[in-house]
Amino acid sequence: MDLRSFIESLEKSGELIKIVKPVSVKYEMAGIINALNEKPVFFENTKESTFPVVAGLVSSKKLICRSLDITIEQLLPKLSLAIEKPVKPELIQKANCQEVIHTNADVDLTKLPIMHYTNKDGGKYIASAVSIIKDPKTGYRNMCFHRLMFKDRNHFVARIVENRGTDSALKNAGGELDIAICVGNSTAVLLAAATSLPSGIDELGMANALEKTDLVKCKTVNLEVPAESEFVFEGKITKEQATEGPFLDLTGVVDRVRQQPVIEITCVTHRKNPIYQTILAGKNEHKFLMGMPKEPTIYSEVNKVCQCKDVYITPGGCSWLHAVVQIHKTQADDGRKAIFAAFEGHKSLKHVIIVDEDINIYDPHDVEWAISTRFQADRNLIVLSNQSGSSLDPSGDLSEGKKATTTKAGVDATTPIITTGKGFKKEDYIKVDLNKYM
């Protein structure tokens, strides 16, 4: 369901917290969202803007599944299928996201409730926007997240990661590239934008496979955007560069300052009475959107070498660097094969733990129990030095001008196929109904 439908659903069920008092987007709003542990919250009045703000809509798997109208058990298979079999979206002529249009001199980004998260931030940021571009060389469309630092009434400074989709398209275009930026999107669009698909595979097709996602042509650039977005900013990435950062990153530490491309916005369209969607940087929503789309890619790779049952990118691993993988073990080396497959399924993964079906991968105590009872470091630990890593890993080698490197480790905490003694399996007490005895 689109953003508004999901908000209405949460309001009807009493799960949406409404803040009526005026709230400042400078530090105060972020503090409230954090204090609420990112529960769905709707700010009716912001001191710096006339637009209301919503947050916390993708802060748990339960909420994500509810917005997609599926169960948690259906989530991983549904994501996997949408990645493998995207569905071409329908292009419509009239869309809600273009009910109101502002062009050229009417463009004024200062009217938006763009948040200033912490006093370490280099400025105000949009962390919830999905950006859409087309590579002029290949013709392929790409949708992804770029954090956007507010510069002035019609400019952002965008963090564009080197050698990824937008950066490659920008180079192919000679340094300037049309872009459309959407704020206030369905969960399907957010998940698709967060997923790194192979070149030529359309993220909007993945969104449409998750749930029907119609598109509409932009008014001033040759791009298509989700028809139900709340806001759309049309413009171009320019050759100009400006200071971007610092900003709170996924790992909860402050990212460094860089020189990054400036985006000029020449047209803004939005729905009538639009709702501005924000996410809290470095917290649950950021983590789920970053990490969860890597679970089906790990799942797919591990299934090539053994039977994978479930995958969890853990919050304690910044929802990016650590994973727990559950397998059905039939061969002695299944755990070892699963380790290498997991690293193939998520290139930025730093540590992975492989466990059996009887281990609850969402319970860190259960996972630790498997390590303590089924793992021997001299036999079951795989260490891979000098590996391509993640720029988000502050302990890796992040030397300027070269790709980040790190040491990776895999832990095979599965039960040996052939054992000489007992102790690998859990024993439990009988289940009783306490109501019979109280």
Side-chain angles (χ1 to χ4, degrees):
M1 60 186 84
D2 66 16
L3 182 83
R4 293 192 179 197
S5 300
F6 191 35
I7 291 172
E8 290 170 5
S9 173
L10 292 171
E11 187 172 12
K12 285 179 182 178
S13 63
E15 297 172 83
L16 182 70
I17 298 168
K18 284 198 170 183
I19 306 293
V20 179
K21 291 183 177 180
V23 174
S24 174
V25 296
K26 188 171 184 179
Y27 311 147
E28 187 179 16
M29 185 175 287
I32 293 171
I33 298 168
N34 186 53
L36 290 171
N37 198 28
E38 294 179 274
K39 292 177 182 176
V41 57
F42 190 91
F43 297 92
E44 293 188 353
N45 295 293
T46 56
K47 293 180 180 179
E48 297 87 354
S49 175
T50 60
F51 300 122
V53 178
V54 70
L57 300 187
V58 289
S59 57
S60 70
K61 279 194 175 182
K62 180 182 176 183
L63 285 167
I64 289 169
C65 291
R66 181 167 168 183
S67 69
L68 295 173
D69 195 26
I70 58 174
T71 65
I72 288 179
E73 291 75 22
Q74 293 171 320
L75 180 59
L76 187 57
K78 189 172 183 68
L79 285 173
S80 297
L81 184 62
I83 290 171
E84 293 170 8
K85 296 182 179 180
V87 178
K88 185 179 179 180
E90 181 181 349
L91 188 64
I92 62 175
Q93 298 303 310
K94 189 176 180 180
N96 289 328
C97 70
Q98 295 173 342
E99 289 176 324
V100 180
I101 302 171
H102 306 277
T103 57
N104 300 319
D106 292 333
V107 171
D108 190 356
L109 303 176
T110 66
K111 294 181 178 180
L112 297 169
I114 303 175
M115 288 176 62
H116 207 137
Y117 290 83
T118 76
N119 59 11
K120 297 289 180 66
D121 296 346
K124 298 192 295 183
Y125 273 89
I126 300 180
S128 58
V130 301
S131 297
I132 299 170
I133 56 95
K134 280 183 183 173
D135 190 318
K137 185 177 180 179
T138 64
Y140 295 147
R141 182 168 57 200
N142 183 65
M143 178 172 66
C144 64
F145 282 90
H146 295 303
R147 71 185 187 216
L148 302 171
M149 183 177 175
F150 170 80
K151 187 174 187 289
D152 56 43
R153 61 185 304 277
N154 63 335
H155 293 93
F156 293 113
V157 187
R159 170 63 180 126
I160 297 177
V161 179
E162 296 76 11
N163 302 315
R164 300 280 181 86
T166 301
D167 183 58
S168 297
L170 187 59
K171 291 172 181 174
N172 289 337
E176 290 191 343
L177 184 69
D178 286 346
I179 188 169
I181 299 164
C182 307
V183 174
N185 297 288
S186 69
T187 300
V189 169
L190 294 176
L191 289 173
T195 304
S196 299
L197 297 178
S199 178
I201 305 300
D202 186 15
E203 286 86 3
L204 284 163
M206 175 186 170
N208 193 43
L210 289 172
E211 66 177 19
K212 186 171 174 54
T213 303
D214 292 337
L215 307 181
V216 68
K217 275 275 189 184
C218 287
K219 291 297 183 180
T220 63
V221 293
N222 185 28
L223 294 167
E224 302 79 32
V225 293
E228 299 301 320
S229 295
E230 294 289 322
F231 291 90
V232 178
F233 312 124
E234 302 178 11
K236 67 177 179 179
I237 307 172
T238 71
K239 293 180 179 179
E240 180 186 355
Q241 294 209 337
T243 299
E244 190 274 334
F247 186 62
L248 193 66
D249 218 328
L250 182 70
T251 55
V253 300
V254 175
D255 197 11
R256 64 185 176 87
V257 175
R258 300 175 177 85
Q259 291 297 302
Q260 292 287 281
V262 172
I263 296 178
E264 180 183 13
I265 303 301
T266 53
C267 177
V268 176
T269 72
H270 60 74
R271 299 182 64 150
K272 292 178 181 177
N273 304 312
I275 301 168
Y276 182 92
Q277 183 183 19
T278 191
I279 64 173
L280 206 58
K283 294 293 184 177
N284 289 335
E285 288 195 279
H286 191 180
K287 289 179 177 180
F288 275 112
L289 286 174
M290 278 286 289
M292 202 176 69
K294 290 299 181 183
E295 292 173 358
T297 60
I298 294 174
Y299 177 79
S300 176
E301 289 297 324
V302 174
N303 263 318
K304 293 178 182 178
V305 298
C306 62
Q307 187 178 352
C308 185
K309 306 297 290 186
D310 205 354
V311 178
Y312 184 36
I313 302 283
T314 66
C318 306
S319 288
W320 192 246
L321 300 174
H322 288 180
V324 183
V325 177
Q326 184 188 71
I327 66 170
H328 172 66
K329 186 173 180 178
T330 60
Q331 302 294 325
D333 62 346
D334 278 352
R336 182 181 181 85
K337 290 188 293 186
I339 288 172
F340 286 100
F343 287 136
E344 184 64 28
H346 178 23
K347 303 291 188 181
S348 292
L349 193 62
K350 184 178 179 182
H351 300 138
V352 63
I353 302 169
I354 313 298
V355 297
D356 292 302
E357 293 172 85
D358 63 331
I359 300 300
N360 178 4
I361 63 174
Y362 302 99
D363 181 352
H365 298 293
D366 218 24
V367 174
E368 187 177 356
W369 180 88
I371 296 172
S372 67
T373 61
R374 299 174 177 178
F375 168 74
Q376 288 294 312
D378 63 339
R379 299 195 300 270
N380 308 125
L381 176 66
I382 292 174
V383 178
L384 305 170
S385 302
N386 196 32
Q387 299 290 301
S388 177
S390 171
S391 60
L392 296 173
D393 176 11
S395 67
D397 184 352
L398 306 180
S399 301
E400 190 75 35
K402 72 173 192 176
K403 187 168 176 56
T405 58
T406 191
T407 296
K408 300 187 176 187
V411 173
D412 179 4
T414 58
T415 304
I417 293 293
I418 300 174
T419 66
T420 55
K422 298 179 180 179
F424 290 104
K425 296 293 183 182
K426 282 186 173 182
E427 294 295 336
D428 208 348
Y429 297 95
I430 64 167
K431 303 294 183 183
V432 298
D433 182 0
L434 286 177
N435 292 324
K436 295 180 179 180
Y437 306 95
M438 304 300 285

